[in-house]
Amino acid sequence: MIKLTVLVGALACLGCSAPPQAQSGASQGASVVTAAVVEAVRPGGPHPVGVAEGPALASGAATRLYYPAANAGGEGRAESPSPDHRANLARRFGADAAEILAQAVTAASQNAAPAAGRFPLVVFQPGASMGGGDYRLLLEDIASRGYVVLALSPEGSPPVSGGRYRQAAAELVEAVALARSGAVAGIEGDRVAVIGHSLGGAAAVMALADLPGAVAVNLDGDYNGPTRIPADGRVLYLLGRTEGEADRSRDRRARAWREAVQGAGDAVALQVADVRHFDFADAALIQDAVPQDRRRTRFGPIGGAKAHALTTDLVAGFLDSRLKGQADAWSAARARHPEAAAPTTW
């Protein structure tokens, strides 16, 4: 049985229904939506999901655990971000969207009894200035499929900088070591994946140098300087397309990937042309609440519900095939999403 060895304080998909919307009319071109849009998305795996606060890193970074739970039901939790992080979300997505994300109660039950058994460990690093809690739908889905997920910096991470890439990679390595030390029980410490979005995705690949045999998933993260995937590393690089990006920038990204995979035996890059950078975050589900001037470059024509279903299915298929020995999981996921193909525009 998973036994959470952390003292837990009182914490005040593949098949989802069509996003409910009210009539349009919000300011700056945004439509009126509610938290029900986020709450309608349910995890796709067989396990109920629990959520609890996790152990802090030595650096002071907080963590949050999403894990397979013993029973369905229990009290859900709204994200209720800190005032600082709510303000940051408002700057990025608008005040209405920030409020919706704060109010939504998703599938995980707080402090739920953990399921019996031991599960692979997944550590998640958010993008710059984003928080692990801004990807709850993805993390809950992964946990529902039989993984213990340790999300870093749930209330927001530092802004982008040259040094932040290395710091974010080091945090992933530290989090894996902390979990393996017994701070997170119920995990199979020899089956580990590190996942991230944007800067966090690039950091996940960088962390492989210090995590022999681990799996990495990079969700649309651009590499800052030379990165090399170890021969025993296994990597999924899932990227969208950036509107209006200069050819030289695209060429640089393609060149960085070619350099990264030299000598790597298991590295896959897939691009979805209709996906944009923030389609991997929960905010994609409520993009109609985001002002038009902030929506166009952040979210693509694929739509938030489809982007979430594609991401969770491909990530789960990759993890299941590499960490659980389910050889057909990846090929089946690929077959369900032919729009995810070898990059052509980077």
Side-chain angles (χ1 to χ4, degrees):
M1 170 180 285
I2 294 178
K3 181 177 66 176
L4 301 179
T5 60
V6 184
L7 289 177
V8 180
L11 300 173
C13 92
L14 295 178
C16 39
S17 58
Q21 297 184 13
Q23 73 279 6
S24 61
S27 61
Q28 302 183 53
S31 299
V32 176
V33 299
T34 71
V37 178
V38 177
E39 295 169 347
V41 181
R42 312 306 291 176
H47 296 278
V49 180
V51 59
E53 295 310 303
L57 304 187
S59 62
T63 69
R64 185 175 295 158
L65 279 168
Y66 298 88
Y67 54 92
N71 300 296
E75 185 181 356
R77 73 187 296 265
E79 184 59 17
S80 302
S82 68
D84 285 347
H85 190 52
R86 188 187 296 240
N88 184 57
L89 291 173
R91 285 190 293 271
R92 179 165 272 158
F93 302 120
D96 291 345
E99 185 63 22
I100 292 168
L101 293 171
Q103 293 178 356
V105 177
T106 54
S109 299
Q110 57 180 331
N111 304 329
R118 295 169 66 84
F119 303 93
L121 171 69
V122 173
V123 183
F124 181 84
Q125 181 72 273
S129 298
M130 295 285 283
D134 298 328
Y135 307 83
R136 284 188 295 166
L137 300 180
L138 170 63
L139 304 185
E140 290 176 2
D141 190 275
I142 294 172
S144 78
R145 298 169 190 266
Y147 295 88
V148 174
V149 182
L150 188 62
L152 305 186
S153 303
E155 287 284 351
S157 60
V160 66
S161 68
R164 175 57 190 160
Y165 284 81
R166 294 280 174 201
Q167 181 187 39
E171 288 176 353
L172 288 167
V173 175
E174 180 189 349
V176 171
L178 182 62
R180 285 171 165 168
S181 74
V184 178
I187 63 168
E188 295 185 355
D190 58 343
R191 295 199 288 174
V192 171
V194 285
I195 301 179
H197 172 238
S198 194
L199 182 150
V205 178
M206 294 167 63
L208 290 181
D210 296 308
L211 296 172
V215 173
V217 178
N218 177 0
L219 301 176
D220 212 37
D222 200 357
Y223 297 103
N224 179 43
T227 301
R228 186 65 59 87
I229 298 169
D232 64 347
R234 295 162 288 175
V235 174
L236 171 61
Y237 185 19
L238 189 58
L239 63 156
R241 186 166 61 86
T242 302
E243 288 280 6
E245 187 174 16
D247 287 343
R248 64 180 180 276
S249 179
R250 300 182 194 276
D251 291 343
R252 178 192 54 76
R253 186 177 291 110
R255 184 169 60 253
W257 176 248
R258 289 194 299 269
E259 293 172 354
V261 300
Q262 291 182 25
D266 185 7
V268 181
L270 295 176
Q271 183 178 47
V272 185
D274 285 344
V275 162
R276 301 294 179 266
H277 193 59
F278 282 101
D279 280 320
F280 298 101
D282 293 352
L285 274 294
I286 58 164
Q287 58 187 273
D288 285 346
V290 178
Q292 285 281 5
D293 60 345
R294 306 182 208 182
R295 192 186 313 173
R296 185 180 63 82
T297 59
R298 289 172 168 83
F299 309 107
I302 189 172
K306 187 174 181 181
H308 173 73
L310 177 146
T311 301
T312 54
D313 199 21
L314 289 174
V315 170
F318 194 79
L319 295 181
D320 288 348
S321 64
R322 271 64 176 182
L323 292 181
K324 294 184 177 180
Q326 298 176 9
D328 295 337
W330 178 235
S331 58
R334 288 291 309 277
R336 287 190 290 269
H337 302 287
E339 66 272 39
T344 57
T345 63
W346 293 93

